[in-house]
Amino acid sequence: MLKNVIAPIQAWLMSQGKCVGCGLPLNKAEKKTHKYGKQISCKCGRIYIYNSKTKNYRRALLEEI
Ligand SMILES: [Zn+2]
């Protein structure tokens, strides 16, 4: 049940370009080139993929890290 509440908040944070864990702006996090765009490693250990075509952030899948 808790997931139903958290998922929209996380989606909103990511649409704002912020980490879902610590709220830090992802454009200030460490970036490296990734086959789908940019891989972003937040200070709190969460990994995101930035898609430069759609300009969207999403959580990286385990197999992408
Ligand atoms: Zn973070």
Side-chain angles (χ1 to χ4, degrees):
M1 203 174 113
L2 203 63
K3 243 187 168 171
N4 294 340
V5 181
I6 290 171
I9 297 172
Q10 292 192 336
W12 178 80
L13 277 168
M14 271 189 275
S15 73
Q16 305 293 302
K18 289 179 181 165
C19 174
V20 300
C22 61
L24 215 81
L26 292 174
N27 58 13
K28 288 186 181 152
E30 196 183 310
K31 295 179 192 66
K32 50 183 184 178
T33 309
H34 188 276
K35 59 180 171 177
Y36 299 121
K38 292 257 188 290
Q39 182 179 311
I40 296 160
S41 313
C42 187
K43 274 193 222 167
C44 67
R46 285 172 175 79
I47 314 244
Y48 298 89
I49 303 292
Y50 179 70
N51 186 323
S52 41
K53 279 183 195 156
T54 60
K55 296 185 164 57
N56 275 326
Y57 292 97
R58 63 174 175 81
R59 293 291 297 274
L61 304 172
L62 272 180
E63 62 263 31
E64 294 173 341
I65 299 168

Short mmCIF file of all heavy atoms in Angstrom, two decimals:
data_model
loop_
_atom_site.label_atom_id
_atom_site.label_comp_id
_atom_site.label_asym_id
_atom_site.label_seq_id
_atom_site.Cartn_x
_atom_site.Cartn_y
_atom_site.Cartn_z
N MET A 1 0.83 -1.21 0.00
CA MET A 1 0.00 0.00 0.00
C MET A 1 0.86 1.25 0.00
O MET A 1 0.57 2.23 -0.68
CB MET A 1 -0.92 -0.02 1.22
CG MET A 1 -2.15 0.87 1.00
SD MET A 1 -3.31 0.72 2.37
CE MET A 1 -3.18 2.36 3.03
N LEU A 2 1.95 1.20 0.78
CA LEU A 2 2.84 2.34 0.87
C LEU A 2 3.43 2.68 -0.50
O LEU A 2 3.64 3.84 -0.82
CB LEU A 2 3.96 2.03 1.87
CG LEU A 2 4.66 3.24 2.49
CD1 LEU A 2 3.66 4.06 3.29
CD2 LEU A 2 5.79 2.79 3.38
N LYS A 3 3.64 1.65 -1.30
CA LYS A 3 4.24 1.87 -2.62
C LYS A 3 3.36 2.75 -3.49
O LYS A 3 3.85 3.52 -4.31
CB LYS A 3 4.47 0.51 -3.31
CG LYS A 3 5.95 0.27 -3.55
CD LYS A 3 6.17 -0.96 -4.36
CE LYS A 3 7.63 -0.99 -4.81
NZ LYS A 3 7.97 -2.25 -5.42
N ASN A 4 2.04 2.64 -3.31
CA ASN A 4 1.12 3.44 -4.11
C ASN A 4 1.28 4.93 -3.84
O ASN A 4 0.96 5.76 -4.67
CB ASN A 4 -0.33 3.04 -3.81
CG ASN A 4 -0.62 1.62 -4.26
OD1 ASN A 4 0.10 1.08 -5.09
ND2 ASN A 4 -1.64 1.02 -3.69
N VAL A 5 1.74 5.26 -2.64
CA VAL A 5 1.94 6.65 -2.27
C VAL A 5 3.31 7.12 -2.71
O VAL A 5 3.47 8.23 -3.20
CB VAL A 5 1.78 6.83 -0.74
CG1 VAL A 5 1.97 8.28 -0.34
CG2 VAL A 5 0.43 6.31 -0.28
N ILE A 6 4.30 6.24 -2.55
CA ILE A 6 5.68 6.64 -2.81
C ILE A 6 5.95 6.79 -4.31
O ILE A 6 6.62 7.72 -4.73
CB ILE A 6 6.66 5.64 -2.15
CG1 ILE A 6 6.57 5.82 -0.63
CG2 ILE A 6 8.09 5.87 -2.62
CD1 ILE A 6 7.31 4.77 0.15
N ALA A 7 5.41 5.88 -5.11
CA ALA A 7 5.71 5.90 -6.55
C ALA A 7 5.41 7.25 -7.22
O ALA A 7 6.25 7.77 -7.93
CB ALA A 7 5.01 4.75 -7.25
N PRO A 8 4.23 7.85 -6.99
CA PRO A 8 3.98 9.15 -7.63
C PRO A 8 4.91 10.25 -7.14
O PRO A 8 5.30 11.13 -7.91
CB PRO A 8 2.52 9.48 -7.24
CG PRO A 8 1.94 8.21 -6.79
CD PRO A 8 3.06 7.37 -6.26
N ILE A 9 5.30 10.19 -5.88
CA ILE A 9 6.22 11.19 -5.34
C ILE A 9 7.59 11.05 -6.00
O ILE A 9 8.22 12.03 -6.39
CB ILE A 9 6.34 11.06 -3.79
CG1 ILE A 9 4.99 11.35 -3.15
CG2 ILE A 9 7.41 12.01 -3.25
CD1 ILE A 9 4.94 11.05 -1.66
N GLN A 10 8.03 9.79 -6.14
CA GLN A 10 9.31 9.55 -6.78
C GLN A 10 9.28 9.99 -8.24
O GLN A 10 10.24 10.59 -8.73
CB GLN A 10 9.67 8.06 -6.69
CG GLN A 10 9.96 7.65 -5.26
CD GLN A 10 10.59 6.27 -5.18
OE1 GLN A 10 10.42 5.45 -6.08
NE2 GLN A 10 11.31 6.01 -4.11
N ALA A 11 8.19 9.70 -8.92
CA ALA A 11 8.06 10.09 -10.32
C ALA A 11 8.09 11.62 -10.44
O ALA A 11 8.72 12.17 -11.34
CB ALA A 11 6.76 9.54 -10.89
N TRP A 12 7.45 12.28 -9.49
CA TRP A 12 7.44 13.75 -9.50
C TRP A 12 8.85 14.29 -9.25
O TRP A 12 9.31 15.19 -9.97
CB TRP A 12 6.46 14.26 -8.44
CG TRP A 12 6.46 15.76 -8.38
CD1 TRP A 12 5.80 16.61 -9.23
CD2 TRP A 12 7.15 16.58 -7.43
NE1 TRP A 12 6.06 17.91 -8.87
CE2 TRP A 12 6.87 17.92 -7.77
CE3 TRP A 12 7.97 16.30 -6.34
CZ2 TRP A 12 7.39 18.99 -7.05
CZ3 TRP A 12 8.49 17.36 -5.62
CH2 TRP A 12 8.20 18.69 -5.97
N LEU A 13 9.54 13.74 -8.27
CA LEU A 13 10.91 14.19 -7.98
C LEU A 13 11.80 14.01 -9.20
O LEU A 13 12.57 14.91 -9.54
CB LEU A 13 11.49 13.41 -6.79
CG LEU A 13 11.11 13.90 -5.40
CD1 LEU A 13 11.51 12.88 -4.35
CD2 LEU A 13 11.76 15.24 -5.10
N MET A 14 11.68 12.86 -9.86
CA MET A 14 12.53 12.60 -11.02
C MET A 14 12.18 13.56 -12.16
O MET A 14 13.07 14.00 -12.88
CB MET A 14 12.40 11.15 -11.46
CG MET A 14 13.41 10.27 -10.75
SD MET A 14 13.47 8.63 -11.45
CE MET A 14 12.15 7.87 -10.55
N SER A 15 10.90 13.89 -12.30
CA SER A 15 10.51 14.82 -13.35
C SER A 15 11.06 16.22 -13.06
O SER A 15 11.23 17.03 -13.96
CB SER A 15 8.99 14.87 -13.52
OG SER A 15 8.39 15.55 -12.44
N GLN A 16 11.35 16.49 -11.79
CA GLN A 16 11.97 17.76 -11.40
C GLN A 16 13.50 17.67 -11.48
O GLN A 16 14.19 18.62 -11.10
CB GLN A 16 11.59 18.12 -9.96
CG GLN A 16 10.10 18.17 -9.67
CD GLN A 16 9.43 19.31 -10.40
OE1 GLN A 16 9.79 20.47 -10.24
NE2 GLN A 16 8.45 18.98 -11.22
N GLY A 17 14.01 16.49 -11.86
CA GLY A 17 15.45 16.30 -11.94
C GLY A 17 16.11 16.16 -10.58
O GLY A 17 17.26 16.55 -10.39
N LYS A 18 15.37 15.61 -9.62
CA LYS A 18 15.91 15.44 -8.28
C LYS A 18 15.97 13.97 -7.88
O LYS A 18 15.15 13.18 -8.32
CB LYS A 18 15.04 16.20 -7.27
CG LYS A 18 15.20 17.68 -7.40
CD LYS A 18 14.33 18.41 -6.42
CE LYS A 18 14.53 19.91 -6.60
NZ LYS A 18 13.47 20.66 -5.93
N CYS A 19 16.93 13.68 -7.01
CA CYS A 19 17.08 12.32 -6.52
C CYS A 19 15.88 11.96 -5.65
O CYS A 19 15.45 12.75 -4.82
CB CYS A 19 18.37 12.23 -5.71
SG CYS A 19 18.58 10.64 -4.90
N VAL A 20 15.36 10.74 -5.83
CA VAL A 20 14.20 10.31 -5.04
C VAL A 20 14.58 9.98 -3.61
O VAL A 20 13.74 9.93 -2.72
CB VAL A 20 13.49 9.09 -5.66
CG1 VAL A 20 13.00 9.42 -7.06
CG2 VAL A 20 14.38 7.87 -5.67
N GLY A 21 15.88 9.78 -3.37
CA GLY A 21 16.31 9.41 -2.03
C GLY A 21 16.62 10.61 -1.16
O GLY A 21 16.19 10.69 -0.02
N CYS A 22 17.37 11.57 -1.72
CA CYS A 22 17.84 12.68 -0.90
C CYS A 22 17.39 14.03 -1.42
O CYS A 22 17.62 15.04 -0.77
CB CYS A 22 19.36 12.62 -0.77
SG CYS A 22 20.18 12.76 -2.35
N GLY A 23 16.73 14.06 -2.58
CA GLY A 23 16.20 15.32 -3.10
C GLY A 23 17.24 16.23 -3.74
O GLY A 23 16.93 17.35 -4.12
N LEU A 24 18.45 15.74 -3.86
CA LEU A 24 19.53 16.55 -4.45
C LEU A 24 19.31 16.70 -5.96
O LEU A 24 18.90 15.76 -6.62
CB LEU A 24 20.85 15.83 -4.20
CG LEU A 24 22.06 16.70 -3.94
CD1 LEU A 24 22.05 17.15 -2.48
CD2 LEU A 24 23.32 15.95 -4.25
N PRO A 25 19.58 17.89 -6.51
CA PRO A 25 19.45 18.05 -7.96
C PRO A 25 20.43 17.14 -8.69
O PRO A 25 21.63 17.15 -8.40
CB PRO A 25 19.80 19.53 -8.19
CG PRO A 25 19.69 20.17 -6.87
CD PRO A 25 20.01 19.12 -5.84
N LEU A 26 19.91 16.38 -9.64
CA LEU A 26 20.75 15.39 -10.32
C LEU A 26 21.75 16.04 -11.27
O LEU A 26 22.75 15.44 -11.62
CB LEU A 26 19.88 14.39 -11.08
CG LEU A 26 19.06 13.46 -10.16
CD1 LEU A 26 18.13 12.60 -10.98
CD2 LEU A 26 19.96 12.59 -9.32
N ASN A 27 21.50 17.28 -11.66
CA ASN A 27 22.48 17.93 -12.54
C ASN A 27 23.75 18.31 -11.79
O ASN A 27 24.74 18.70 -12.40
CB ASN A 27 21.87 19.14 -13.28
CG ASN A 27 21.32 20.18 -12.33
OD1 ASN A 27 21.59 20.15 -11.13
ND2 ASN A 27 20.55 21.11 -12.86
N LYS A 28 23.74 18.16 -10.47
CA LYS A 28 24.95 18.41 -9.68
C LYS A 28 25.66 17.11 -9.31
O LYS A 28 26.73 17.14 -8.71
CB LYS A 28 24.59 19.17 -8.40
CG LYS A 28 24.22 20.60 -8.70
CD LYS A 28 24.00 21.39 -7.44
CE LYS A 28 23.61 22.82 -7.78
NZ LYS A 28 22.78 23.40 -6.71
N ALA A 29 25.05 16.00 -9.66
CA ALA A 29 25.65 14.71 -9.32
C ALA A 29 26.67 14.31 -10.39
O ALA A 29 26.73 14.90 -11.47
CB ALA A 29 24.57 13.64 -9.19
N GLU A 30 27.43 13.29 -10.06
CA GLU A 30 28.49 12.82 -10.96
C GLU A 30 27.88 12.11 -12.17
O GLU A 30 27.00 11.27 -12.03
CB GLU A 30 29.36 11.84 -10.17
CG GLU A 30 30.70 11.55 -10.80
CD GLU A 30 31.46 10.52 -9.98
OE1 GLU A 30 31.56 10.71 -8.75
OE2 GLU A 30 31.92 9.54 -10.57
N LYS A 31 28.39 12.45 -13.36
CA LYS A 31 27.84 11.86 -14.59
C LYS A 31 28.91 11.11 -15.35
O LYS A 31 30.06 11.49 -15.35
CB LYS A 31 27.31 12.97 -15.50
CG LYS A 31 26.15 13.72 -14.95
CD LYS A 31 25.70 14.81 -15.93
CE LYS A 31 24.73 15.76 -15.28
NZ LYS A 31 25.35 16.55 -14.20
N LYS A 32 28.49 10.05 -16.00
CA LYS A 32 29.38 9.46 -16.98
C LYS A 32 28.57 8.96 -18.17
O LYS A 32 27.35 8.76 -18.06
CB LYS A 32 30.26 8.36 -16.38
CG LYS A 32 29.55 7.33 -15.58
CD LYS A 32 30.57 6.35 -14.99
CE LYS A 32 29.84 5.25 -14.25
NZ LYS A 32 30.71 4.24 -13.70
N THR A 33 29.26 8.77 -19.27
CA THR A 33 28.58 8.40 -20.50
C THR A 33 28.03 6.98 -20.40
O THR A 33 28.68 6.10 -19.84
CB THR A 33 29.54 8.52 -21.69
OG1 THR A 33 30.13 9.81 -21.62
CG2 THR A 33 28.82 8.39 -23.01
N HIS A 34 26.85 6.80 -20.90
CA HIS A 34 26.17 5.53 -20.84
C HIS A 34 25.53 5.30 -22.20
O HIS A 34 25.21 6.25 -22.90
CB HIS A 34 25.10 5.59 -19.74
CG HIS A 34 24.44 4.29 -19.44
ND1 HIS A 34 23.39 3.81 -20.18
CD2 HIS A 34 24.69 3.37 -18.48
CE1 HIS A 34 23.04 2.63 -19.67
NE2 HIS A 34 23.80 2.35 -18.65
N LYS A 35 25.32 4.04 -22.55
CA LYS A 35 24.77 3.78 -23.89
C LYS A 35 23.38 4.37 -24.11
O LYS A 35 22.98 4.61 -25.23
CB LYS A 35 24.78 2.28 -24.20
CG LYS A 35 23.99 1.44 -23.23
CD LYS A 35 24.06 -0.03 -23.62
CE LYS A 35 23.47 -0.89 -22.53
NZ LYS A 35 23.45 -2.30 -22.87
N TYR A 36 22.63 4.61 -23.03
CA TYR A 36 21.30 5.21 -23.19
C TYR A 36 21.30 6.71 -22.94
O TYR A 36 20.26 7.33 -22.95
CB TYR A 36 20.30 4.56 -22.23
CG TYR A 36 20.14 3.08 -22.46
CD1 TYR A 36 20.41 2.17 -21.45
CD2 TYR A 36 19.71 2.61 -23.70
CE1 TYR A 36 20.26 0.82 -21.66
CE2 TYR A 36 19.57 1.25 -23.92
CZ TYR A 36 19.85 0.35 -22.90
OH TYR A 36 19.71 -0.98 -23.10
N GLY A 37 22.44 7.29 -22.68
CA GLY A 37 22.50 8.72 -22.39
C GLY A 37 23.60 8.98 -21.39
O GLY A 37 24.77 8.78 -21.67
N LYS A 38 23.22 9.42 -20.18
CA LYS A 38 24.20 9.64 -19.13
C LYS A 38 23.82 8.83 -17.89
O LYS A 38 22.66 8.75 -17.52
CB LYS A 38 24.21 11.13 -18.74
CG LYS A 38 24.76 12.02 -19.85
CD LYS A 38 26.16 12.44 -19.53
CE LYS A 38 26.67 13.48 -20.51
NZ LYS A 38 26.90 12.93 -21.85
N GLN A 39 24.85 8.25 -17.29
CA GLN A 39 24.61 7.57 -16.01
C GLN A 39 24.98 8.53 -14.91
O GLN A 39 26.06 9.11 -14.89
CB GLN A 39 25.45 6.31 -15.93
CG GLN A 39 25.21 5.55 -14.64
CD GLN A 39 26.04 4.27 -14.57
OE1 GLN A 39 26.07 3.47 -15.50
NE2 GLN A 39 26.72 4.09 -13.45
N ILE A 40 24.08 8.71 -13.97
CA ILE A 40 24.27 9.68 -12.91
C ILE A 40 24.31 8.97 -11.57
O ILE A 40 23.38 8.23 -11.23
CB ILE A 40 23.14 10.73 -12.95
CG1 ILE A 40 23.26 11.48 -14.28
CG2 ILE A 40 23.23 11.69 -11.78
CD1 ILE A 40 22.04 12.17 -14.70
N SER A 41 25.40 9.18 -10.85
CA SER A 41 25.53 8.55 -9.54
C SER A 41 25.34 9.61 -8.47
O SER A 41 26.14 10.52 -8.34
CB SER A 41 26.92 7.93 -9.38
OG SER A 41 27.24 7.18 -10.52
N CYS A 42 24.27 9.46 -7.72
CA CYS A 42 24.01 10.41 -6.65
C CYS A 42 24.89 10.07 -5.44
O CYS A 42 25.34 8.95 -5.28
CB CYS A 42 22.54 10.37 -6.27
SG CYS A 42 22.12 11.65 -5.10
N LYS A 43 25.09 11.08 -4.60
CA LYS A 43 25.87 10.91 -3.38
C LYS A 43 25.32 9.82 -2.47
O LYS A 43 26.06 9.16 -1.76
CB LYS A 43 25.82 12.22 -2.57
CG LYS A 43 26.86 13.23 -2.96
CD LYS A 43 26.87 14.29 -1.88
CE LYS A 43 26.97 15.67 -2.49
NZ LYS A 43 26.68 16.71 -1.53
N CYS A 44 24.01 9.63 -2.50
CA CYS A 44 23.39 8.67 -1.59
C CYS A 44 23.46 7.25 -2.14
O CYS A 44 22.95 6.32 -1.52
CB CYS A 44 21.94 9.07 -1.31
SG CYS A 44 20.88 8.95 -2.74
N GLY A 45 24.06 7.08 -3.34
CA GLY A 45 24.28 5.73 -3.86
C GLY A 45 23.28 5.30 -4.91
O GLY A 45 23.42 4.24 -5.50
N ARG A 46 22.26 6.12 -5.16
CA ARG A 46 21.29 5.77 -6.18
C ARG A 46 21.84 6.11 -7.56
O ARG A 46 22.51 7.12 -7.73
CB ARG A 46 19.96 6.49 -5.94
CG ARG A 46 19.19 5.88 -4.78
CD ARG A 46 17.99 6.72 -4.43
NE ARG A 46 17.19 6.08 -3.40
CZ ARG A 46 17.48 6.10 -2.11
NH1 ARG A 46 18.55 6.73 -1.68
NH2 ARG A 46 16.71 5.48 -1.23
N ILE A 47 21.51 5.27 -8.52
CA ILE A 47 22.02 5.46 -9.88
C ILE A 47 20.85 5.73 -10.82
O ILE A 47 19.83 5.04 -10.76
CB ILE A 47 22.79 4.21 -10.36
CG1 ILE A 47 23.72 3.75 -9.26
CG2 ILE A 47 23.50 4.49 -11.69
CD1 ILE A 47 25.16 3.79 -9.49
N TYR A 48 21.02 6.73 -11.67
CA TYR A 48 19.98 7.12 -12.61
C TYR A 48 20.52 7.11 -14.02
O TYR A 48 21.73 7.21 -14.22
CB TYR A 48 19.49 8.54 -12.29
CG TYR A 48 18.87 8.65 -10.93
CD1 TYR A 48 19.66 8.93 -9.83
CD2 TYR A 48 17.51 8.44 -10.75
CE1 TYR A 48 19.10 9.00 -8.56
CE2 TYR A 48 16.95 8.51 -9.50
CZ TYR A 48 17.74 8.79 -8.41
OH TYR A 48 17.19 8.85 -7.17
N ILE A 49 19.62 7.01 -14.96
CA ILE A 49 19.97 7.17 -16.36
C ILE A 49 19.26 8.42 -16.87
O ILE A 49 18.05 8.58 -16.67
CB ILE A 49 19.53 5.95 -17.21
CG1 ILE A 49 20.11 4.65 -16.66
CG2 ILE A 49 19.91 6.16 -18.67
CD1 ILE A 49 21.59 4.49 -16.81
N TYR A 50 20.03 9.30 -17.50
CA TYR A 50 19.44 10.49 -18.11
C TYR A 50 19.36 10.25 -19.60
O TYR A 50 20.36 10.00 -20.26
CB TYR A 50 20.30 11.71 -17.80
CG TYR A 50 19.76 12.97 -18.44
CD1 TYR A 50 18.58 13.54 -17.97
CD2 TYR A 50 20.41 13.58 -19.50
CE1 TYR A 50 18.07 14.69 -18.55
CE2 TYR A 50 19.92 14.73 -20.08
CZ TYR A 50 18.74 15.28 -19.60
OH TYR A 50 18.25 16.42 -20.19
N ASN A 51 18.15 10.31 -20.11
CA ASN A 51 17.94 10.13 -21.54
C ASN A 51 17.99 11.51 -22.20
O ASN A 51 17.10 12.34 -21.97
CB ASN A 51 16.58 9.45 -21.76
CG ASN A 51 16.37 9.11 -23.23
OD1 ASN A 51 16.75 9.85 -24.13
ND2 ASN A 51 15.75 7.97 -23.46
N SER A 52 19.03 11.72 -22.99
CA SER A 52 19.22 13.06 -23.57
C SER A 52 18.22 13.35 -24.68
O SER A 52 18.03 14.50 -25.05
CB SER A 52 20.65 13.23 -24.06
OG SER A 52 21.08 12.07 -24.70
N LYS A 53 17.57 12.32 -25.22
CA LYS A 53 16.55 12.54 -26.26
C LYS A 53 15.24 13.01 -25.64
O LYS A 53 14.64 13.98 -26.09
CB LYS A 53 16.31 11.26 -27.05
CG LYS A 53 17.37 11.04 -28.12
CD LYS A 53 17.05 9.79 -28.93
CE LYS A 53 18.28 9.36 -29.72
NZ LYS A 53 18.24 7.94 -30.04
N THR A 54 14.79 12.31 -24.61
CA THR A 54 13.51 12.68 -23.99
C THR A 54 13.71 13.65 -22.83
O THR A 54 12.74 14.15 -22.28
CB THR A 54 12.78 11.42 -23.46
OG1 THR A 54 13.62 10.79 -22.50
CG2 THR A 54 12.49 10.43 -24.57
N LYS A 55 14.98 13.88 -22.43
CA LYS A 55 15.31 14.75 -21.30
C LYS A 55 14.63 14.28 -20.01
O LYS A 55 14.12 15.08 -19.23
CB LYS A 55 14.96 16.21 -21.59
CG LYS A 55 15.77 16.78 -22.74
CD LYS A 55 15.50 18.26 -22.92
CE LYS A 55 16.56 18.93 -23.76
NZ LYS A 55 16.72 18.31 -25.09
N ASN A 56 14.63 12.96 -19.84
CA ASN A 56 14.02 12.38 -18.64
C ASN A 56 15.04 11.63 -17.82
O ASN A 56 15.95 11.01 -18.36
CB ASN A 56 12.92 11.39 -19.05
CG ASN A 56 11.61 12.10 -19.28
OD1 ASN A 56 11.30 13.07 -18.61
ND2 ASN A 56 10.83 11.61 -20.22
N TYR A 57 14.84 11.65 -16.52
CA TYR A 57 15.62 10.81 -15.63
C TYR A 57 14.81 9.59 -15.26
O TYR A 57 13.60 9.65 -15.15
CB TYR A 57 15.93 11.56 -14.32
CG TYR A 57 16.87 12.71 -14.48
CD1 TYR A 57 16.38 14.00 -14.61
CD2 TYR A 57 18.24 12.52 -14.47
CE1 TYR A 57 17.23 15.08 -14.74
CE2 TYR A 57 19.11 13.59 -14.60
CZ TYR A 57 18.59 14.87 -14.72
OH TYR A 57 19.45 15.93 -14.84
N ARG A 58 15.51 8.48 -15.06
CA ARG A 58 14.85 7.31 -14.50
C ARG A 58 15.88 6.53 -13.70
O ARG A 58 17.08 6.71 -13.87
CB ARG A 58 14.25 6.44 -15.61
CG ARG A 58 15.28 5.87 -16.58
CD ARG A 58 14.62 4.91 -17.55
NE ARG A 58 15.57 4.44 -18.55
CZ ARG A 58 16.44 3.45 -18.33
NH1 ARG A 58 16.46 2.83 -17.16
NH2 ARG A 58 17.29 3.09 -19.26
N ARG A 59 15.38 5.67 -12.84
CA ARG A 59 16.29 4.82 -12.07
C ARG A 59 16.96 3.83 -13.00
O ARG A 59 16.32 3.29 -13.89
CB ARG A 59 15.51 4.05 -10.99
CG ARG A 59 14.92 4.93 -9.90
CD ARG A 59 15.96 5.54 -8.99
NE ARG A 59 16.72 4.55 -8.24
CZ ARG A 59 16.34 4.02 -7.07
NH1 ARG A 59 15.22 4.41 -6.51
NH2 ARG A 59 17.09 3.13 -6.47
N ALA A 60 18.25 3.60 -12.79
CA ALA A 60 18.95 2.63 -13.61
C ALA A 60 18.54 1.23 -13.19
O ALA A 60 18.31 0.96 -12.01
CB ALA A 60 20.46 2.79 -13.42
N LEU A 61 18.42 0.34 -14.17
CA LEU A 61 18.13 -1.05 -13.87
C LEU A 61 19.42 -1.72 -13.43
O LEU A 61 20.52 -1.29 -13.81
CB LEU A 61 17.57 -1.76 -15.11
CG LEU A 61 16.32 -1.12 -15.73
CD1 LEU A 61 15.98 -1.80 -17.05
CD2 LEU A 61 15.15 -1.21 -14.77
N LEU A 62 19.29 -2.78 -12.65
CA LEU A 62 20.47 -3.46 -12.12
C LEU A 62 21.45 -3.86 -13.22
O LEU A 62 22.65 -3.71 -13.08
CB LEU A 62 20.05 -4.71 -11.34
CG LEU A 62 19.73 -4.49 -9.87
CD1 LEU A 62 19.32 -5.82 -9.23
CD2 LEU A 62 20.95 -3.92 -9.13
N GLU A 63 20.93 -4.36 -14.34
CA GLU A 63 21.81 -4.84 -15.40
C GLU A 63 22.50 -3.70 -16.16
O GLU A 63 23.36 -3.95 -16.98
CB GLU A 63 21.08 -5.79 -16.35
CG GLU A 63 19.91 -5.15 -17.09
CD GLU A 63 18.57 -5.45 -16.39
OE1 GLU A 63 18.56 -5.59 -15.15
OE2 GLU A 63 17.57 -5.54 -17.10
N GLU A 64 22.08 -2.48 -15.91
CA GLU A 64 22.68 -1.34 -16.61
C GLU A 64 23.87 -0.74 -15.86
O GLU A 64 24.59 0.08 -16.39
CB GLU A 64 21.64 -0.25 -16.82
CG GLU A 64 20.53 -0.67 -17.74
CD GLU A 64 19.41 0.35 -17.81
OE1 GLU A 64 19.30 1.20 -16.89
OE2 GLU A 64 18.63 0.29 -18.76
N ILE A 65 24.03 -1.13 -14.61
CA ILE A 65 25.06 -0.53 -13.77
C ILE A 65 26.38 -1.28 -13.93
O ILE A 65 26.39 -2.49 -13.90
CB ILE A 65 24.62 -0.51 -12.29
CG1 ILE A 65 23.34 0.33 -12.17
CG2 ILE A 65 25.73 0.06 -11.41
CD1 ILE A 65 22.66 0.19 -10.82
ZN ZN B 1 20.47 10.96 -3.71
#
